[in-house]
Amino acid sequence: MWCNDETRFKKHRSVANIKKAFVDLLQEKPFEKIKVSEIARKAGIDRQTFYLHFVDKYDLLDKMNKEFLQVYKTILVERLEGDNSFALEKLEKIYQVNLPYLKEHRLEVLSLLKIDTGRICLKRDLRKMLIDKYQEITGEALTSF
């Protein structure tokens, strides 16, 4: 499908508004109580527009989690690339570099970390990613984390 710049901008703006509305609603009520119609209303769109971008609220949650994990993993990999040593100082540097991103997206990240649908759980996925990265760098298995 051919898209001009205006169409791409509208799509990006709609998705951004949907995500913001979702995070705002997560401040008011638990995930299980949020309806697509509420997300759409708060985003200033109709439900049909929501469904152009997402299958349901679980799809929205899953995509937001995957997006966060991908960005966070990219930041981590950039900081660790080419250096297989692991030291506390390096870990501190990683968190200092990541802190601006986490501060900027604080509300979103904290909201997403609270949700565990069984299949979708940012906290579990983030933990696994960090453990895997630690094991990759050190060659050591983490016994607790």
Side-chain angles (χ1 to χ4, degrees), residues 56-71:
D56 54 23
K57 69 180 185 176
Y58 293 91
D59 184 42
L60 169 61
L61 173 64
D62 190 43
K63 286 179 178 169
M64 288 179 71
N65 282 355
K66 285 178 180 171
E67 184 179 302
F68 170 76
L69 285 169
Q70 186 57 50
V71 168

Side-chain angles (χ1 to χ4, degrees), residues 23 68 71-72 75 94-111 113:
V23 170
F68 170 76
V71 168
Y72 199 77
I75 292 169
I94 290 166
Y95 282 104
Q96 287 173 355
V97 170
N98 290 332
L99 199 56
Y101 174 81
L102 292 174
K103 278 184 176 178
E104 181 181 340
H105 299 278
R106 178 182 173 274
L107 197 58
E108 177 182 334
V109 173
L110 290 174
S111 298
L113 284 169

Side-chain angles (χ1 to χ4, degrees), residues 2 11 13 20 32-33 35 38 45 48 52 57 60 63 67 69 75 80 87 89 91 112-113 119 122 129-130 143:
W2 181 80
K11 179 181 177 183
R13 187 178 60 207
K20 183 181 180 331
E32 297 76 22
K33 303 233 183 220
K35 297 178 181 162
E38 294 173 301
I45 60 169
Q48 194 172 15
L52 284 174
K57 69 180 185 176
L60 169 61
K63 286 179 178 169
E67 184 179 302
L69 285 169
I75 292 169
L80 299 173
E89 297 82 30
L91 189 59
L112 295 176
L113 284 169
R119 187 179 67 81
L122 179 60
M129 182 188 75
L130 291 171
T143 55

Side-chain angles (χ1 to χ4, degrees), residues 28-42:
E28 300 169 16
K29 57 174 88 177
F31 173 77
E32 297 76 22
K33 303 233 183 220
I34 295 174
K35 297 178 181 162
V36 169
S37 58
E38 294 173 301
I39 299 169
R41 187 172 32 258
K42 195 157 191 89

Side-chain angles (χ1 to χ4, degrees), residues 6-18 43 45:
E6 185 178 345
T7 304
R8 269 192 290 273
F9 174 74
K10 285 180 180 178
K11 179 181 177 183
H12 177 74
R13 187 178 60 207
S14 291
V15 170
N17 288 345
I18 290 168
I45 60 169

